[in-house]
Amino acid sequence: MDRTSFTAGPGEIGPVFLSEEQIQQRVAQLGAEISRDYAGKDLVVIGVLRGVLFFMADLLRAISIPAAFDVLAIARYGPTEQTQGVVRLTKDLNEPLRGRHALLVEDIIDTGLTTHFIMRTLRLHEPASLKACVLLDRNRRRIINVDLAYVGFEIPDYYLVGYGLDFREQYRNLPYVAKFEPD
Ligand code: PRP
């Protein structure tokens, strides 16, 4: 596939911020690290819909040990910053977590409020361990501290699209991450 042939609205997608190669190289490194750290353990990878799907699918394939996965879905009440993370689960886990090693995976963390809420919720399932892995850490927007065991890239405060990140539900399926510059 010609990766440069993605058709966007005129002037919307800005310069490439992370190329497909950069992303896949880092995902392979994270997968190798996670495979080492969880060798011999009953690993369950958990993603929060929807943006994480792309990263999670690639990360799972970069993990070379047996791993189960599951997904959660959430709804937010208004903009996260204003509601201080008032979040409700709209889809809970199917996989049991008790006594297993849970790894929460996110595509991007901004304020940290979503991850904080999800980690608190997952702890109620009494996993043997619980860690978080994020591809993009936009930590300048952090409101609440979250402990991130694996970070793909620390990024500045840019509006980005692609590889799961959207603008009004578009551009998630770009295989790279680009700056978004609306007209
Ligand atoms: C993104 C991301 C996290 C959340 C992080 O999801 O996947 O779940 O934002 O933001 P926070 O650190 O400020 O809480 P988004 O709301 O964009 O939904 P999506 O995954 O459906 O795109």
Side-chain angles (χ1 to χ4, degrees):
M1 177 186 163
D2 176 5
R3 299 298 192 189
T4 60
S5 65
F6 192 96
T7 309
E12 287 193 330
I13 297 181
V16 172
F17 180 70
L18 291 170
S19 70
E20 186 175 8
E21 290 71 26
Q22 283 175 298
I23 295 169
Q24 293 306 332
Q25 197 175 39
R26 189 71 187 113
V27 170
Q29 289 169 347
L30 290 172
E33 209 179 318
I34 291 165
S35 304
R36 276 196 304 274
D37 294 350
Y38 287 90
K41 294 180 176 168
D42 185 7
L43 171 63
V44 186
V45 174
I46 298 155
V48 185
L49 295 175
R50 287 170 282 179
V52 79
L53 281 181
F54 303 82
F55 174 47
M56 187 167 71
D58 285 341
L59 182 68
L60 280 164
R61 285 175 289 185
I63 292 174
S64 57
I65 59 169
F69 82 93
D70 204 347
V71 289
L72 292 170
I74 56 170
R76 290 200 184 83
Y77 299 99
T80 321
E81 284 85 352
Q82 285 164 26
T83 55
Q84 294 286 302
V86 179
V87 171
R88 166 176 74 87
L89 274 190
T90 55
K91 184 210 165 292
D92 206 341
L93 295 174
N94 293 339
E95 280 292 308
L97 275 196
R98 180 183 285 237
R100 305 174 79 187
H101 295 271
L103 180 63
L104 174 65
V105 174
E106 271 285 19
D107 51 343
I108 189 163
I109 296 185
D110 281 323
T111 63
L113 292 167
T114 307
T115 304
H116 178 76
F117 168 81
I118 300 286
M119 298 279 271
R120 212 175 51 198
T121 305
L122 291 177
R123 274 192 204 100
L124 301 175
H125 292 261
E126 300 182 347
S129 72
L130 175 61
K131 289 185 179 177
C133 170
V134 63
L135 180 66
L136 305 175
D137 180 8
R138 191 156 49 190
N139 50 31
R140 280 182 210 170
R141 294 194 190 177
R142 197 72 89 249
I143 289 176
I144 190 162
N145 184 48
V146 281
D147 190 16
L148 302 173
Y150 307 94
V151 174
F153 302 94
E154 287 185 5
I155 59 167
D157 196 6
Y158 296 153
Y159 198 111
L160 299 171
V161 293
Y163 202 63
L165 306 179
D166 74 303
F167 172 71
R168 296 179 184 162
E169 293 308 320
Q170 297 299 314
Y171 309 126
R172 290 191 195 270
N173 60 323
L174 278 172
Y176 53 87
V177 173
K179 283 193 186 179
F180 183 72
E181 296 169 348
D183 284 338

